[in-house]
Each structure stands twice: as C-alpha cells, then as structure tokens.
Amino acid sequence: MSGSNVFCSDNTIHFIKTEVLFPMNTIKKFIHYYGPYKAVFFIDLICAAVISLVDLAYPQILRTMTKTLFTQDKDIILHALPVIAASLFVMYIVQSLCKYYVTYQGHMMGANMERDMRRELFDHYQELSFSYYNATPVGYILSRVMNDVARITELIAWDVIDMLWAISYVVGVLVAMLFLNWKLALVIMMIVPAIAVLTWYFQNRILTWNRQVRKINSKITSGYNEGIMGAKTVKSLVVEEKNFGEFSAVTEEMRSASIKAARLNAIYIPMVAFFGFLATALVLDRGGIMVLDGRLDLGTLAAF
C-alpha cells in the first residue's frame, strides 16, 4: 500500500519494508488517531481478509480440477467448467471491489490522520517556549511536520493493515499446505528460518540508513530555509561560497547514505526472490518424486 501495494497480481509477498519494521511500542502512541475512523479501519480489515481468502481459494480450485475434474466424463467436464469459470469470475470481482475499498479508504484515512496530526502539532508548537525555538533550527521543525508526519501516517494507516493481511495470508498458506501434505509443507518450511535471518540482518541495517537519510534530510530542509530567509544577510556579508560549501557537504552526505541504503536493498531483494525460487524448485523436486511414487496426487502438487 502507500507506498507499497501488497496485493500483488501474482499473489506473492516479499515482506520488503525499507522504512519501518512495525515497532509496536510506537504504534501504541498513535492508537487514539484511529478513533474517528474505527469503522473504516474495521471494514478495511474485513476486506483484507476477503482478499486473502480468494488468494487461498484459487490453489484449492486448481487442485480439485487437476485431481478430479479431468478424470471424469467429457460431458461432466463440459458442464462443470462454465460453473467453475463463473465462480472464479465472481470471486475476483469481489476481490477487486475489496482492493478498491482498501486502497481508496486507506488513502482517505491516511490523509485525514495526517491532517489531524499536523493540526495537533501546530497547536503544540504554539505553546512551546522561546528557548525551544532558540535551540531548534526551523528546518528541523519543518522536517518533523512535513516528512515525519507523512511517514507516521503511512505506518498507522497503511502498514498496519499490510502487516495484518500478510500475517493472515501466510498463516493461511501454511495451514493449507500442512493440511494438503504435511511432509511436503515441512520441506518448504525449511526455507523460512533462512529468510527470517536474512530479513532480520538486512532490515536492521536498511532501517538504520533510512533513519540517517531522514536526519540528513532535516539538515537539508534547514539549510534551504536559512539560505532563503537569510539571503540578504548572506549577500551583505559576502559568505555565499562558505554557505554553498556547507550545503554541498550535507547533500553529499545525503547522497552517500541513500546509496548505502539502496545497495543493501539491491542485495536483499534478489536474495529473498532466490529463496522463493528455491522453494519452488524443492516443491517440484520432492513433490515430483512423491507423485511418481504414488504418495502424492498431481492436483496437490499443482496446488503447492
């Protein structure tokens, strides 16, 4: 969503969050912002659950078709296929409507929360003492109000729903696989610890560098603000070169931090994809052997 739309067309989840790692203690501080939008948030969760159920239902339908339908009489198949096709059509219509609701209302809820936070912040800044403004650069304040509020609302309006949907989807997939064939499911689940360790290692580092980028961004905002507001003074003192040098150093620092975060992402994303393909290869290898041995039917392999 946001940001990131987790409802991928190929029904895959990559669990790639480069900005936040769902710090629950932080989310708790902002729970009260859900107050006016509880109904919308609740319907969002229901829609996310429906989307997950449709995604989980498709492999089961594929399994049934492969396992039983094509072993029946031609007449039975010809009568059943339109019913199955119509059922899939209705399922995906419902799923599309749910995606529309989640996307549209998620944006609306995020925009409303962002407005509420900025109003609250403006009130708060009116009450702060002179000493705070003497010690705090204006650019830092602007960065907090503009950039950080946008990040926070993305987290509490979008990413919480993303997280809950992803958890329900993954749990549903694991339960379905264990139900279909627990031995083949355990083969696939051998990949999970490797992905968990990989994610923990890279996400902590990616998060650190993204935080660094945001800190430097506040310095850049401050530099722009002071450079424009104090342009007359700068020209009077003839310190343009000095100011340009300081600003260039900050932007170079920003570039360096952004490149390091991008490099980590560039390593992490293909590695996660590699483990996904490895899981597919394991299913084809182990599952294929089980089909040949008569321990697994072709429909179940197709569902996996």
Side-chain angles (χ1 to χ4, degrees):
M1 294 180 174
S2 81
S4 72
N5 187 349
V6 336
F7 304 119
C8 305
S9 59
D10 59 351
N11 297 330
T12 56
I13 310 173
H14 298 296
F15 296 111
I16 296 164
K17 289 285 176 188
T18 58
E19 296 299 332
V20 291
L21 289 177
F22 299 110
M24 296 309 295
N25 59 328
T26 301
I27 293 173
K28 288 176 184 176
K29 295 177 182 178
F30 299 98
I31 289 292
H32 68 279
Y33 287 105
Y34 288 108
Y37 318 108
K38 285 183 291 189
V40 172
F41 184 72
F42 181 70
I43 296 172
D44 267 357
L45 292 180
I46 292 174
C47 287
V50 171
I51 293 166
S52 295
L53 289 173
V54 172
D55 287 340
L56 292 168
Y58 177 75
Q60 299 292 346
I61 293 171
L62 180 63
R63 173 178 180 254
T64 302
M65 287 181 64
T66 309
K67 183 180 178 181
T68 60
L69 186 58
F70 294 115
T71 63
Q72 304 296 324
D73 254 1
K74 182 180 177 181
D75 289 339
I76 296 175
I77 294 172
L78 289 175
H79 282 92
L81 283 177
V83 175
I84 294 172
S87 300
L88 284 171
F89 179 76
V90 171
M91 282 167 51
Y92 284 123
I93 287 290
V94 172
Q95 189 186 57
S96 297
L97 290 173
C98 287
K99 288 180 180 179
Y100 168 79
Y101 184 89
V102 169
T103 303
Y104 177 71
Q105 290 298 338
H107 276 297
M108 291 289 291
M109 186 167 65
N112 288 332
M113 286 180 170
E114 200 167 334
R115 176 203 61 197
D116 297 344
M117 284 188 197
R118 289 204 171 112
R119 286 178 176 176
E120 208 171 291
L121 262 177
F122 188 83
D123 274 348
H124 178 66
Y125 279 127
Q126 302 302 303
E127 298 170 1
L128 293 176
S129 63
F130 283 114
S131 60
Y132 174 81
Y133 291 102
N134 288 333
T136 310
V138 174
Y140 177 84
I141 297 172
L142 288 175
S143 181
R144 280 279 183 262
V145 173
M146 302 306 295
N147 300 328
D148 292 354
V149 166
R151 297 290 187 190
I152 290 167
T153 52
E154 181 180 325
L155 169 65
I156 63 177
W158 281 107
D159 293 336
V160 169
I161 294 174
D162 265 3
M163 177 182 68
L164 295 173
W165 173 80
I167 289 172
S168 65
Y169 182 79
V170 170
V171 169
V173 167
L174 291 176
V175 169
M177 288 194 302
L178 288 168
F179 176 77
L180 290 174
N181 189 289
W182 65 270
K183 291 181 180 178
L184 193 54
L186 290 178
V187 170
I188 297 174
M189 289 168 66
M190 288 167 55
I191 302 294
V192 173
I195 294 179
V197 170
L198 185 73
T199 300
W200 172 82
Y201 177 83
F202 276 96
Q203 291 287 22
N204 280 316
R205 283 154 182 78
I206 291 169
L207 182 61
T208 298
W209 282 110
N210 280 326
R211 283 175 174 165
Q212 185 67 15
V213 166
R214 287 197 289 276
K215 285 179 183 177
I216 299 169
N217 185 58
S218 70
K219 292 181 184 178
I220 291 175
T221 306
S222 179
Y224 265 114
N225 180 74
E226 290 166 9
I228 294 169
M229 297 296 290
K232 292 181 180 178
T233 305
V234 169
K235 290 183 176 297
S236 301
L237 298 174
V238 196
V239 290
E240 293 96 335
E241 289 295 326
K242 177 178 178 294
N243 277 11
F244 180 75
E246 291 174 352
F247 188 77
S248 295
V250 175
T251 53
E252 179 59 32
E253 192 181 351
M254 175 80 156
R255 185 190 75 88
S256 177
S258 298
I259 288 173
K260 286 175 181 174
R263 186 181 295 120
L264 287 167
N265 266 316
I267 297 170
Y268 171 64
I269 293 172
M271 288 185 74
V272 171
F274 167 77
F275 280 107
F277 290 127
L278 181 60
T280 303
L282 283 171
V283 168
L284 290 173
D285 178 55
R286 296 292 92 196
I289 291 171
M290 292 170 75
V291 169
L292 292 174
D293 291 345
R295 291 178 289 140
L296 185 73
D297 59 82
L298 193 58
T300 301
L301 180 60
F304 266 83

